Amino acid sequence: MISYLSAALLALIGLTRLMTVRSGPKHLATFFLSMAAALAISAEGTVRLLGDDLLPRLVTNALQLLAMRALVQLVRSTRSPEKPTAFWPIAVCWALMVLCYLDFAPHRFEAGTSGFQWRWSIVAYQVILTTYAITCLVMFTRTLARSAAGRPRGTFRTGLRILVCAAIATMGWVLFSGLPSLWLEITDLADLDFLPRARLLGLCAMVLWVAGGLFTTWDGALRLARAWRRIRAVTPLWKELVAAHPQIALPVRHDLEFTLYRRVIEIRDGLLALRAHVPPHLGEWLRVPVDEPTRAAAELAAALVMREAGKSWPRHSAGPDAAHPGMREESAWLSAVSSAFKHSLVVREIRERAVAEVG
């Protein structure tokens, strides 16, 4: 159960990374998803279901090497210009591991004996797996430690430091679980006792990876949540303007932060296009003083009615826009206008006055 829970958390982090980083390298997401699949396949329940110990281990080890390669790709992507990572080393490792598997798989019933654990294919398999993984982890740890040292304080730097600890713990796990023939020879461990201990070390390392991944993705996840909330807040206003001026709508792109940015631009374009339809005497219809978002919503409501009736005042200007220095302030302003447009009784009264005038 712990293995499946850890796999689910790693998969969740990987999917979150995919959503957060829409463009650019997906190396960290590849790492988390590969390790999640490896944990799920190597879990005791999966092994019992398959009825075989060796094949799940081969698939698990192949996925672990893919995860290690993703770490190397990640650290190389930070260099300028980016240095590509050759695929042939891992392909050679996979091919050699499969050849070794084909040699020792027919002797699976000898597992646990001294002759099996020192079989040439078993030893070669362990050396290939351990050497590739340790090489990748050393490169990753060295680069990530330097990167974490130069980051400002915050959850992201904390996450990077936890990931460094996770990589060091993973090295220990690889050295232990990747060389069972050696450790069974120099310790008093029985073959049946080795795998549970190796799995426990791996789960400890995975806990650190999960913690580091959560810390590094926390800011990105919060940004996505805030962007989604702001998109929902301005959507009623955006729908009205797009219905009035369909040409302001830009092509759909599945990126929440960029969608919010474009939606704000589209709303501003729509408001600008409707300025000529704002009645110059609208101020006389306002019986009580109102705040700026409500007044802007009232102008929009009246302009939509007048546009539908074909009325315009080309020389009329609805006044200068309020200055908003950033996207947060701009989206907050438009959210307030959207809320007033949908719920304000003043806006409803202005709309009724406009309908009565054109009727």
Side-chain angles (χ1 to χ4, degrees):
M1 180 59 69
I2 296 177
S3 296
Y4 290 124
L5 180 60
S6 299
L9 286 174
L10 288 172
L12 180 61
I13 294 172
L15 293 174
T16 302
R17 293 291 305 179
L18 284 177
M19 294 179 62
T20 305
V21 185
R22 286 290 184 175
S23 60
K26 308 291 193 305
H27 308 315
L28 199 55
T30 301
F31 169 80
F32 283 117
L33 293 176
S34 298
M35 292 302 290
L39 272 178
I41 293 172
S42 64
E44 292 182 5
T46 306
V47 173
R48 282 198 306 268
L49 179 64
L50 296 175
D52 183 16
D53 291 338
L54 298 182
L55 184 58
R57 192 178 303 180
L58 173 66
V59 177
T60 296
N61 294 152
L63 288 169
Q64 289 167 346
L65 291 189
L66 181 63
M68 297 303 105
R69 181 177 183 270
L71 293 182
V72 174
Q73 289 179 290
L74 178 65
V75 296
R76 289 195 169 192
S77 67
T78 61
R79 301 176 183 177
S80 182
E82 181 177 348
K83 188 175 181 180
T85 304
F87 186 77
W88 67 264
I90 191 172
V92 170
C93 289
W94 284 342
L96 292 175
M97 288 166 61
V98 170
L99 289 175
C100 293
Y101 172 81
L102 293 176
D103 178 77
F104 62 70
H107 305 276
R108 67 181 70 242
F109 298 109
E110 301 174 15
T113 64
S114 178
F116 182 81
Q117 74 182 37
W118 287 107
R119 191 177 183 87
W120 73 267
S121 54
I122 289 289
V123 174
Y125 183 97
Q126 295 173 11
V127 170
I128 293 167
L129 174 66
T130 305
T131 302
Y132 187 88
I134 291 296
T135 302
C136 294
L137 286 168
V138 168
M139 293 178 60
F140 173 79
T141 305
R142 186 174 56 190
T143 304
L144 194 66
R146 288 199 299 262
S147 177
R151 294 281 181 172
R153 289 184 179 181
T155 57
F156 188 76
R157 186 176 73 171
T158 302
L160 291 181
R161 289 180 171 177
I162 295 175
L163 289 178
V164 170
C165 295
I168 295 173
T170 304
M171 288 185 205
W173 170 48
V174 169
L175 287 173
F176 181 76
S177 63
L179 299 170
S181 296
L182 175 63
W183 298 112
L184 289 173
E185 183 71 21
I186 65 177
T187 65
D188 296 330
L189 288 175
D191 186 59
L192 294 178
D193 296 330
F194 181 83
L195 282 180
R197 285 172 169 78
R199 188 176 290 113
L200 181 60
L201 287 175
L203 287 176
C204 291
M206 288 306 103
V207 168
L208 290 174
W209 283 111
V210 168
L214 288 175
F215 272 87
T216 56
T217 57
W218 182 255
D219 288 341
L222 285 180
R223 286 200 309 271
L224 288 178
R226 286 193 292 264
W228 179 76
R229 187 175 66 249
R230 290 168 183 166
I231 288 172
R232 289 197 61 187
V234 302
T235 292
L237 182 62
W238 175 80
K239 285 183 177 179
E240 290 287 344
L241 292 168
V242 170
H245 294 281
Q247 69 273 14
I248 68 173
L250 298 171
V252 176
R253 176 171 166 176
H254 300 290
D255 185 315
L256 287 179
E257 291 183 304
F258 194 71
T259 296
L260 174 62
Y261 178 76
R262 293 201 311 181
R263 194 153 290 188
V264 167
I265 293 175
E266 292 166 356
I267 290 174
R268 278 300 184 184
D269 288 344
L271 293 175
L272 183 62
L274 286 171
R275 269 189 172 181
H277 301 283
V278 177
H281 49 282
L282 182 136
E284 300 173 4
W285 295 352
L286 295 171
R287 299 180 179 178
V288 294
V290 294
D291 56 25
E292 290 300 320
T294 303
R295 182 180 180 89
E299 291 178 352
L300 173 60
L304 289 171
V305 174
M306 296 302 176
R307 177 187 175 277
E308 190 70 22
K311 287 192 172 185
S312 63
W313 292 264
R315 296 183 180 179
H316 171 66
S317 173
D321 288 333
H324 303 293
M327 181 56 60
R328 177 184 299 179
E329 293 78 7
E330 182 72 14
S331 60
W333 161 262
L334 293 178
S335 297
V337 175
S338 181
S339 178
F341 183 82
K342 189 175 180 181
H343 302 292
S344 174
L345 295 177
V346 173
V347 174
R348 184 182 305 175
E349 181 180 349
I350 293 298
R351 185 182 293 110
E352 291 173 354
R353 289 288 299 268
V355 170
E357 180 167 311
V358 300

